[in-house]
């Protein structure tokens, strides 16, 4: 049995929402706030020195589209080229970082997707600590089954940045099956259909006497509820432009508001046959429209058809027939859409399983896995598969596969290399992931150099490179020169993601530094504001300084001196206080000016003239 203090938190780090759960003797339990809500919107607001996460950040998103970050999961472990498609849908700025990574530019600061995800993880952890009244340092985090090595690594790094020891990265569909306790079945083949906000997965699992095996996974990390929202946004914006003029463009706040309208409409259409949208465009222009479920379904159908195609491919890859699949588990908010349920039922020829809330099922499953790791839950072996083949670059830009897609993890494979030049003491190797045959069509995971090979004639060294994929689906590479028995030093520079040193540095600095940096930014803004105030006071003194009583003048001089001193310092709060005090001290001056204006106006002169 694990120590009571060793709670391992199960975390569903979602594109749209994140949730935490823990394991108890009575089964997995979701972490909820005082209002009973378990979901933390995966939204972060970073502005004016403040960091807010979840509902608070989501609420202000419309007002601050440039400083609100959402869907960060789509950027995890990705390069700028991978996310080109996303850019026009994300109002915040994304720029290229080193190692082909992306950085989010918010309020003058560059943040990695890992740091942003760490902020979300930290929020989920904080809520759990509050709910359970104890410190939590360990977690199981779920990822879509289709996540490649770089994306899994990025998720693990995010956990580390949030101060969590990530005990296991688990595929979301595997977690869902665990939540349903399907391990108790003697033997069964199960399909898990997961349609969330930003990702789609379908997995075919086999359970046999308490042992899970993922037979195949298929999906699209760029398909989800957001796409359905976009269909509605397209419909609405096209109609608005045809009604009110094609010149009408939509600024960031309007786009964000449209996004919210679209999502609300989509959700309403799951329960009702029609929903009305009303957009106030200002200047008396109001767009009003009733959208029917049928109309929405027509637009949603191509997306849902794509998910069914993926189901077909997953079934084929698993080497089973649709008839053999006895249970279909539904995961993700979008599986509440009636069209989705109908399509899934029609394809699998059975009613899908929806007993557990589709939003919570993955977090609950992560908690079951946490229970297993902590030894609270009975022993159970959990097997998973790798979603994409792993290989190395061979001559002429081709890919030699070492570990095939859908191999059960943990797994290992090795290959022997040799040198092509006499006395060569190092060999460069390029590691790739993907199903295609050419390097340019696969994803580069990293390059490494085997050094310390004893000098020998070309072709003589036997360098055995071993790929090992651990239970988290994360690749480890080792190499040895077999003739000399010397282990070669392997140094991997990830193509996408952070190097070990970068993560270490960030852990040391901690994401809290974001707050310090934001404070620095705030200080700059406040100093600019100070200059404006000082100039205004000076101008007013020149105009109406004579109205001040000696004591008032003295107080104002003191406040101005204090403000100048605060502006030269580093304390933003002190500067803010000094600014307020100077404003207060200048009040009699402002008042006198206002009185003069009113008096002049009363005499028939216009305010503008004064
Ligand atoms: P998830 O990623 O699982 O949290 O799913 C979030 C997605 O599910 C978002 O696109 C939501 O708009 C969507 N969603 C949540 N509830 C419903 C509902 N009742 N009907 C349709 N879509 C929903």
């Amino acid at each position: 049995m694990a120590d009571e203090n060793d709670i391992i938190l199960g975390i569903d780090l979602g594109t749209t929402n994140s949730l935490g759960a823990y394991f108890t003797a009575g089964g997995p339990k979701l972490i909820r706030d005082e209002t009973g809500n378990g979901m933390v919107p995966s939204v972060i607001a970073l502005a004016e020195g403040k960091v807010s996460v979840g509902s608070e950040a989501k609420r202000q998103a419309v007002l601050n589209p440039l400083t609100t970050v959402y869907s960060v999961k789509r950027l995890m472990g990705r390069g700028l080229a991978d996310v080109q498609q996303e850019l026009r849908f994300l109002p915040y700025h994304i720029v290229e970082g080193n190692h082909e990574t992306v950085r989010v530019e918010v309020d003058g600061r560059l943040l990695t997707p890992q740091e942003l995800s760490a902020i979300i993880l930290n929020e989920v952890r904080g809520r759990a600590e509050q709910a359970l009244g104890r410190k939590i340092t360990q977690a199981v985090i779920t990822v879509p089954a289709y996540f490649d090595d770089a994306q899994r690594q990025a998720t693990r790094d995010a956990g580390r940045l949030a101060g969590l020891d990530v005990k296991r990265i688990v595929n979301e569909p595997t977690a869902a099956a665990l939540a349903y306790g399907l391990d108790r079945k003697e033997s069964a083949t199960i399909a898990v259909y997961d349609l969330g906000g930003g990702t789609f997965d379908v997995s075919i699992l086999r359970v046999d006497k308490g042992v899970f095996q993922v037979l195949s996974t298929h999906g699209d990390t760029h398909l989800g509820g957001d796409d359905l929202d976009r269909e509605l946004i397209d419909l609405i914006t096209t109609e608005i432009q045809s009604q009110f003029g094609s010149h009408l463009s939509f600024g960031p706040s309007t786009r964000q508001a449209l996004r919210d309208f679209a999502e609300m409409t989509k959700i309403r259409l799951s329960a009702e046959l029609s929903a009305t949208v009303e957009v106030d465009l200002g200047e008396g222009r109001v767009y009003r429209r009733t959208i029917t479920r049928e109309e929405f379904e027509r637009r949603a159908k191509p997306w849902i058809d794509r998910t069914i195609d993926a189901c077909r491919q997953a079934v084929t890859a698993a080497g089973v027939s649709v008839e053999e699949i006895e249970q279909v588990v539904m995961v993700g908010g979008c599986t509440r859409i009636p069209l989705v349920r109908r399509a899934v039922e029609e394809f699998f020829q059975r009613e899908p399983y929806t007993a557990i809330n589709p939003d919570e099922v993955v977090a609950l499953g992560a908690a079951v896995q946490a229970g297993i790791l902590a030894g609270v839950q009975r022993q159970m072996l959990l097997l998973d598969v790798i979603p994409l083949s792993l290989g190395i670059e061979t001559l002429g830009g081709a890919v030699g596969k070492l570990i095939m897609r859908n191999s059960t993890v943990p797994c290992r494979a090795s290959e022997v290399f040799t040198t092509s030049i006499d006395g060569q003491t190092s060999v460069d190797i390029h590691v790739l992931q993907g199903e295609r045959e050419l390097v340019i069509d696969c994803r580069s995971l990293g390059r490494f150099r085997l050094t310390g090979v004893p000098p020998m004639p070309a072709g003589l060294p036997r360098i055995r490179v071993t790929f090992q994929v651990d239970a988290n689906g994360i690749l480890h590479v080792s190499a040895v020169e077999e003739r000399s028995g010397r282990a070669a030093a392997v140094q991997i520079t990830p193509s996408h993601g952070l190097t070990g040193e970068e993560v270490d540095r960030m852990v040391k600095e901690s994401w809290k530094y974001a707050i310090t940096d934001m404070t620095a930014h705030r200080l700059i803004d406040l100093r600019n504001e100070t200059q404006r105030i000082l100039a205004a006071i000076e101008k007013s003194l020149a105009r109406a300084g004579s109205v001040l009583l000696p004591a008032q003048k003295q107080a104002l001089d003191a406040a101005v001196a204090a403000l100048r001193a605060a502006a030269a310092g580093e304390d933003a709060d002190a500067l803010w206080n000094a600014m307020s005090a100077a404003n207060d001290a200048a009040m009699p001056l402002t008042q006198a000016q206002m009185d003069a204006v009113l008096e002049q106006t009363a005499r028939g002169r216009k305010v503008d003239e004064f």
Side-chain angles (χ1 to χ4, degrees):
M1 270 311 255
D3 185 315
E4 257 233 318
N5 293 315
D6 288 348
I7 278 198
I8 305 175
L9 188 63
I11 303 179
D12 171 6
L13 180 60
T15 310
T16 329
N17 295 296
S18 297
L19 301 92
Y22 65 107
F23 199 80
T24 70
K29 266 210 162 61
L30 205 77
I31 303 286
R32 297 182 192 278
D33 64 13
E34 333 58 73
T35 64
N37 186 14
M39 288 209 254
V40 177
S42 304
V43 183
I44 305 155
L46 295 134
E48 292 164 13
K50 282 206 200 97
V51 179
S52 63
V53 196
S55 311
E56 194 188 329
K58 195 176 174 183
R59 264 198 304 277
Q60 58 79 66
V62 178
L63 295 175
N64 305 303
L66 294 175
T67 51
T68 309
V69 185
Y70 58 86
S71 287
V72 68
K73 187 168 170 177
R74 285 180 177 258
L75 308 176
M76 290 288 274
R78 311 299 278 175
L80 196 61
D82 302 318
V83 298
Q84 279 306 316
Q85 300 264 47
E86 312 296 341
L87 299 186
R88 70 193 171 107
F89 297 114
L90 300 174
Y92 50 86
H93 292 139
I94 295 167
V95 297
E96 182 145 42
N98 47 358
H99 318 305
E100 290 175 46
T101 55
V102 296
R103 298 279 190 278
V104 177
E105 191 176 5
V106 215
D107 211 18
R109 187 188 153 84
L110 292 179
L111 291 159
T112 61
Q114 287 89 326
E115 288 170 287
L116 291 160
S117 290
I119 295 175
I120 299 170
L121 289 172
N122 203 55
E123 175 71 16
V124 175
R125 194 256 302 261
R127 280 173 171 229
E129 286 182 342
Q130 197 165 6
L132 302 175
R134 67 172 65 141
K135 204 156 171 50
I136 290 166
T137 56
Q138 304 180 89
V140 165
I141 306 178
T142 61
V143 294
Y146 228 64
F147 256 26
D148 66 21
D149 194 79
Q151 292 166 300
R152 282 165 201 264
Q153 279 288 6
T155 305
R156 177 173 276 261
D157 291 342
R160 279 187 63 199
L161 291 173
L164 289 166
D165 173 12
V166 181
K167 290 292 186 192
R168 186 66 64 88
I169 297 281
V170 186
N171 283 339
E172 288 161 9
T174 306
L178 279 174
Y180 273 106
L182 293 177
D183 53 294
R184 283 176 220 125
K185 287 202 154 252
E186 181 64 16
S187 169
T189 308
I190 305 150
V192 182
Y193 177 102
D194 180 348
L195 188 57
T199 56
F200 167 69
D201 282 287
V202 57
S203 300
I204 312 296
L205 316 179
R206 172 156 299 145
V207 57
D208 198 11
K209 297 183 188 67
V211 178
F212 267 111
Q213 191 178 5
V214 185
L215 298 180
S216 70
T217 69
H218 218 282
D220 189 334
T221 50
H222 292 84
L223 200 168
D226 296 349
D227 296 302
L228 307 181
D229 297 347
R230 245 170 251 146
E231 285 292 334
L232 290 172
I233 294 170
D234 279 354
L235 183 147
I236 297 169
T237 52
T238 310
E239 288 191 358
I240 287 179
Q241 285 179 329
S242 76
Q243 257 181 51
F244 300 104
S246 55
H247 62 280
L248 217 72
S249 63
F250 303 96
S253 311
T254 317
R255 283 212 305 276
Q256 180 79 32
L258 281 171
R259 203 171 156 265
D260 291 345
F261 273 132
E263 184 179 11
M264 259 152 48
T265 307
K266 174 189 69 181
I267 291 173
R268 280 227 302 279
L269 288 173
S270 288
E272 289 156 34
L273 293 174
S274 68
T276 301
V277 187
E278 200 173 287
V279 186
D280 188 345
L281 298 156
E283 296 168 22
R285 295 172 303 191
V286 178
Y287 166 81
R288 197 183 150 84
R289 164 80 142 84
T290 299
I291 298 171
T292 64
R293 185 189 284 177
E294 201 190 335
E295 217 176 339
F296 169 66
E297 288 187 346
R298 258 202 313 278
R299 285 191 165 247
K301 189 165 182 304
W303 298 102
I304 309 308
D305 285 349
R306 274 172 61 179
T307 69
I308 299 299
D309 279 346
C311 292
R312 196 168 292 118
Q313 291 184 49
V315 171
T316 307
V320 296
S321 65
V322 168
E323 292 73 32
E324 286 172 74
I325 294 168
E326 293 152 57
Q327 204 120 33
V328 182
V329 173
M330 294 293 240
V331 182
C334 286
T335 59
R336 292 199 185 89
I337 297 173
L339 171 67
V340 173
R341 292 196 175 176
R342 283 204 311 276
V344 172
E345 183 168 348
E346 198 177 299
F347 176 75
F348 287 103
Q349 297 160 36
R350 62 188 66 244
E351 198 181 332
Y353 212 54
T354 54
I356 303 179
N357 184 336
D359 296 316
E360 298 175 357
V361 64
V362 169
L364 293 171
V368 173
Q369 175 68 65
I372 294 168
L373 291 172
V376 182
Q377 172 81 311
R378 71 196 168 291
Q379 205 54 42
M380 183 168 62
L381 192 60
L382 186 64
L383 300 177
D384 238 326
V385 296
I386 62 159
L388 296 165
S389 301
L390 290 163
I392 49 153
E393 179 170 348
T394 58
L395 281 180
V399 180
K401 303 221 167 79
L402 260 78
I403 296 182
M404 300 305 286
R405 165 183 161 78
N406 283 339
S407 301
T408 306
V409 295
C411 58
R412 61 158 61 214
S414 66
E415 183 120 345
V416 175
F417 297 89
T418 189
T419 51
S420 54
I421 300 169
D422 285 342
Q424 188 177 337
T425 54
S426 69
V427 180
D428 287 322
I429 291 175
H430 186 191
V431 185
L432 296 132
Q433 188 162 30
E435 300 319 301
R436 305 278 295 276
E437 296 306 318
L438 294 181
V439 169
I440 49 164
D441 297 319
C442 288
R443 185 171 179 74
S444 169
L445 287 183
R447 292 169 190 275
F448 65 88
R449 172 167 286 191
L450 308 185
T451 55
V453 175
M456 277 184 250
L460 208 59
R462 283 181 54 84
I463 302 158
R464 183 172 290 280
V465 178
T466 304
F467 276 22
Q468 182 159 16
V469 181
D470 67 16
N472 303 305
I474 289 174
L475 174 68
H476 303 267
V477 186
S478 60
V480 64
E481 200 291 303
E482 291 188 328
R483 290 189 197 282
S484 61
R486 234 176 116 170
V490 177
Q491 225 180 19
I492 297 199
T493 309
S495 304
H496 296 270
L498 305 172
T499 61
E501 295 86 71
E502 278 174 320
V503 175
D504 284 345
R505 198 183 60 236
M506 285 178 176
V507 168
K508 271 194 216 112
E509 289 174 357
S510 131
W511 67 270
K512 281 178 193 141
Y513 261 97
I515 297 171
T516 314
D517 286 6
M518 290 291 160
T519 308
H521 196 267
R522 184 177 167 223
L523 201 56
I524 293 168
D525 288 345
L526 288 175
R527 282 190 188 131
N528 291 338
E529 181 67 7
T530 301
Q531 291 314 317
R532 202 191 56 73
I533 291 175
L534 288 172
I537 291 176
E538 222 165 90
K539 212 163 146 190
S540 300
L541 272 174
R543 272 192 190 158
S546 58
V547 303
L548 292 181
L549 300 170
Q552 286 174 329
K553 176 77 172 53
Q554 213 173 357
L556 181 59
D557 287 346
V560 165
L563 179 55
R564 286 189 203 280
E570 297 297 322
D571 187 340
D573 287 336
L575 178 54
W576 197 85
N577 289 337
M579 250 167 60
S580 307
N583 266 328
D584 289 348
M587 197 55 93
L589 203 54
T590 317
Q591 197 67 49
Q593 278 187 293
M594 282 304 295
D595 291 348
V597 169
L598 290 174
E599 202 181 311
Q600 296 289 343
T601 313
R603 283 199 211 128
R605 289 177 62 191
K606 287 199 218 114
V607 179
D608 303 0
E609 279 175 55
F610 191 83

